[in-house]
mmCIF file of all heavy atoms in Angstrom:
data_model
loop_
_atom_site.group_PDB
_atom_site.id
_atom_site.type_symbol
_atom_site.label_atom_id
_atom_site.label_comp_id
_atom_site.label_asym_id
_atom_site.label_seq_id
_atom_site.Cartn_x
_atom_site.Cartn_y
_atom_site.Cartn_z
ATOM 1 N N THR A 1161 -6.426 -47.558 -9.435
ATOM 2 C CA THR A 1161 -5.351 -46.601 -9.666
ATOM 3 C C THR A 1161 -4.083 -47.262 -10.160
ATOM 4 O O THR A 1161 -3.016 -46.677 -10.124
ATOM 5 C CB THR A 1161 -5.037 -45.831 -8.365
ATOM 6 O OG1 THR A 1161 -4.677 -46.779 -7.350
ATOM 7 C CG2 THR A 1161 -6.225 -45.025 -7.910
ATOM 8 N N GLN A 1171 13.059 -53.595 -14.927
ATOM 9 C CA GLN A 1171 13.756 -52.308 -14.960
ATOM 10 C C GLN A 1171 13.351 -51.412 -13.797
ATOM 11 O O GLN A 1171 14.140 -50.575 -13.347
ATOM 12 C CB GLN A 1171 13.484 -51.598 -16.291
ATOM 13 C CG GLN A 1171 14.367 -50.370 -16.529
ATOM 14 C CD GLN A 1171 15.846 -50.715 -16.622
ATOM 15 O OE1 GLN A 1171 16.219 -51.733 -17.195
ATOM 16 N NE2 GLN A 1171 16.703 -49.848 -16.067
ATOM 17 N N ILE A 1188 29.863 -57.773 -10.597
ATOM 18 C CA ILE A 1188 28.901 -58.696 -9.993
ATOM 19 C C ILE A 1188 27.781 -57.952 -9.292
ATOM 20 O O ILE A 1188 26.613 -58.363 -9.344
ATOM 21 C CB ILE A 1188 29.614 -59.644 -9.005
ATOM 22 C CG1 ILE A 1188 30.650 -60.500 -9.743
ATOM 23 C CG2 ILE A 1188 28.599 -60.549 -8.290
ATOM 24 C CD1 ILE A 1188 31.471 -61.383 -8.820
ATOM 25 N N LEU A 1205 13.695 -47.215 11.603
ATOM 26 C CA LEU A 1205 14.227 -46.106 10.815
ATOM 27 C C LEU A 1205 15.695 -45.819 11.095
ATOM 28 O O LEU A 1205 16.507 -45.755 10.153
ATOM 29 C CB LEU A 1205 13.366 -44.855 11.023
ATOM 30 C CG LEU A 1205 13.903 -43.550 10.433
ATOM 31 C CD1 LEU A 1205 14.083 -43.661 8.932
ATOM 32 C CD2 LEU A 1205 12.954 -42.387 10.779
ATOM 33 N N LYS A 1244 6.340 -36.720 9.610
ATOM 34 C CA LYS A 1244 7.674 -37.178 9.174
ATOM 35 C C LYS A 1244 7.588 -38.196 8.056
ATOM 36 O O LYS A 1244 8.362 -38.160 7.099
ATOM 37 C CB LYS A 1244 8.411 -37.785 10.378
ATOM 38 C CG LYS A 1244 9.813 -38.283 10.051
ATOM 39 C CD LYS A 1244 10.598 -38.571 11.307
ATOM 40 C CE LYS A 1244 9.950 -39.609 12.197
ATOM 41 N NZ LYS A 1244 10.766 -39.924 13.378
ATOM 42 N N LEU A 1265 -5.798 -54.976 4.659
ATOM 43 C CA LEU A 1265 -4.509 -54.802 3.987
ATOM 44 C C LEU A 1265 -4.562 -53.633 3.009
ATOM 45 O O LEU A 1265 -3.651 -52.797 2.974
ATOM 46 C CB LEU A 1265 -4.118 -56.087 3.263
ATOM 47 C CG LEU A 1265 -3.603 -57.220 4.153
ATOM 48 C CD1 LEU A 1265 -3.643 -58.556 3.416
ATOM 49 C CD2 LEU A 1265 -2.169 -56.929 4.626
ATOM 50 N N VAL A 1271 -2.650 -45.874 3.010
ATOM 51 C CA VAL A 1271 -2.094 -44.808 3.851
ATOM 52 C C VAL A 1271 -0.640 -44.536 3.474
ATOM 53 O O VAL A 1271 -0.208 -43.388 3.348
ATOM 54 C CB VAL A 1271 -2.197 -45.180 5.343
ATOM 55 C CG1 VAL A 1271 -1.488 -44.145 6.205
ATOM 56 C CG2 VAL A 1271 -3.662 -45.310 5.765
ATOM 57 N N ALA A 1297 4.095 -67.115 6.660
ATOM 58 C CA ALA A 1297 4.314 -68.301 5.834
ATOM 59 C C ALA A 1297 3.082 -69.176 5.727
ATOM 60 O O ALA A 1297 2.969 -69.979 4.790
ATOM 61 C CB ALA A 1297 5.489 -69.106 6.399
ATOM 62 N N ALA A 1337 4.517 -73.620 -8.557
ATOM 63 C CA ALA A 1337 3.149 -73.461 -9.057
ATOM 64 C C ALA A 1337 2.461 -72.276 -8.374
ATOM 65 O O ALA A 1337 1.737 -71.503 -9.027
ATOM 66 C CB ALA A 1337 2.361 -74.747 -8.835
ATOM 67 N N HIS A 1358 9.373 -74.565 8.622
ATOM 68 C CA HIS A 1358 9.838 -75.426 9.714
ATOM 69 C C HIS A 1358 11.290 -75.147 10.090
ATOM 70 O O HIS A 1358 11.744 -75.577 11.150
ATOM 71 C CB HIS A 1358 9.690 -76.897 9.333
ATOM 72 C CG HIS A 1358 8.278 -77.313 9.055
ATOM 73 N ND1 HIS A 1358 7.274 -77.202 9.990
ATOM 74 C CD2 HIS A 1358 7.695 -77.819 7.941
ATOM 75 C CE1 HIS A 1358 6.137 -77.633 9.477
ATOM 76 N NE2 HIS A 1358 6.361 -77.998 8.231
ATOM 77 N N GLY A 1390 21.277 -67.306 4.189
ATOM 78 C CA GLY A 1390 22.650 -67.760 4.049
ATOM 79 C C GLY A 1390 23.641 -66.681 3.687
ATOM 80 O O GLY A 1390 24.722 -66.978 3.171
ATOM 81 N N ALA A 1406 20.094 -64.263 -9.196
ATOM 82 C CA ALA A 1406 19.071 -63.380 -8.624
ATOM 83 C C ALA A 1406 19.396 -61.916 -8.896
ATOM 84 O O ALA A 1406 20.535 -61.547 -9.231
ATOM 85 C CB ALA A 1406 18.943 -63.629 -7.123
ATOM 86 N N LYS A 1466 13.505 -50.272 24.181
ATOM 87 C CA LYS A 1466 13.633 -51.727 24.084
ATOM 88 C C LYS A 1466 14.244 -52.123 22.741
ATOM 89 O O LYS A 1466 15.130 -52.972 22.667
ATOM 90 C CB LYS A 1466 12.273 -52.389 24.268
ATOM 91 C CG LYS A 1466 12.279 -53.900 24.093
ATOM 92 C CD LYS A 1466 10.896 -54.458 24.399
ATOM 93 C CE LYS A 1466 10.833 -55.943 24.085
ATOM 94 N NZ LYS A 1466 10.903 -56.193 22.633
ATOM 95 N N PHE A 1476 27.063 -55.884 20.357
ATOM 96 C CA PHE A 1476 28.023 -56.195 21.422
ATOM 97 C C PHE A 1476 27.882 -57.626 21.948
ATOM 98 O O PHE A 1476 28.340 -57.915 23.053
ATOM 99 C CB PHE A 1476 27.829 -55.231 22.597
ATOM 100 C CG PHE A 1476 28.210 -53.800 22.315
ATOM 101 C CD1 PHE A 1476 27.473 -52.757 22.857
ATOM 102 C CD2 PHE A 1476 29.308 -53.489 21.524
ATOM 103 C CE1 PHE A 1476 27.823 -51.436 22.623
ATOM 104 C CE2 PHE A 1476 29.669 -52.171 21.278
ATOM 105 C CZ PHE A 1476 28.928 -51.134 21.835
ATOM 106 N N ASP A 1501 26.168 -44.904 28.688
ATOM 107 C CA ASP A 1501 27.052 -45.450 29.725
ATOM 108 C C ASP A 1501 27.483 -46.877 29.374
ATOM 109 O O ASP A 1501 28.636 -47.269 29.608
ATOM 110 C CB ASP A 1501 26.339 -45.444 31.084
ATOM 111 C CG ASP A 1501 26.163 -44.043 31.660
ATOM 112 O OD1 ASP A 1501 26.868 -43.122 31.203
ATOM 113 O OD2 ASP A 1501 25.313 -43.889 32.562
ATOM 114 N N ASN A 1504 30.118 -46.596 26.678
ATOM 115 C CA ASN A 1504 31.392 -46.156 27.273
ATOM 116 C C ASN A 1504 32.058 -47.283 28.057
ATOM 117 O O ASN A 1504 33.291 -47.426 28.048
ATOM 118 C CB ASN A 1504 31.158 -44.946 28.181
ATOM 119 C CG ASN A 1504 30.757 -43.709 27.403
ATOM 120 O OD1 ASN A 1504 31.109 -43.565 26.222
ATOM 121 N ND2 ASN A 1504 30.010 -42.814 28.033
ATOM 122 N N GLN A 1548 17.321 -80.866 22.966
ATOM 123 C CA GLN A 1548 18.198 -80.362 24.021
ATOM 124 C C GLN A 1548 18.389 -78.863 23.857
ATOM 125 O O GLN A 1548 18.700 -78.379 22.771
ATOM 126 C CB GLN A 1548 19.567 -81.055 23.971
ATOM 127 C CG GLN A 1548 20.523 -80.532 25.050
ATOM 128 C CD GLN A 1548 21.783 -81.370 25.137
ATOM 129 O OE1 GLN A 1548 21.794 -82.510 24.730
ATOM 130 N NE2 GLN A 1548 22.831 -80.793 25.657
#
Side-chain angles (χ1 to χ4, degrees):
T1161 58
Q1171 191 63 39
I1188 298 176
L1205 171 60
K1244 181 167 59 177
L1265 284 163
V1271 174
H1358 299 301
K1466 176 176 174 291
F1476 292 143
D1501 289 342
N1504 292 333
Q1548 179 171 338

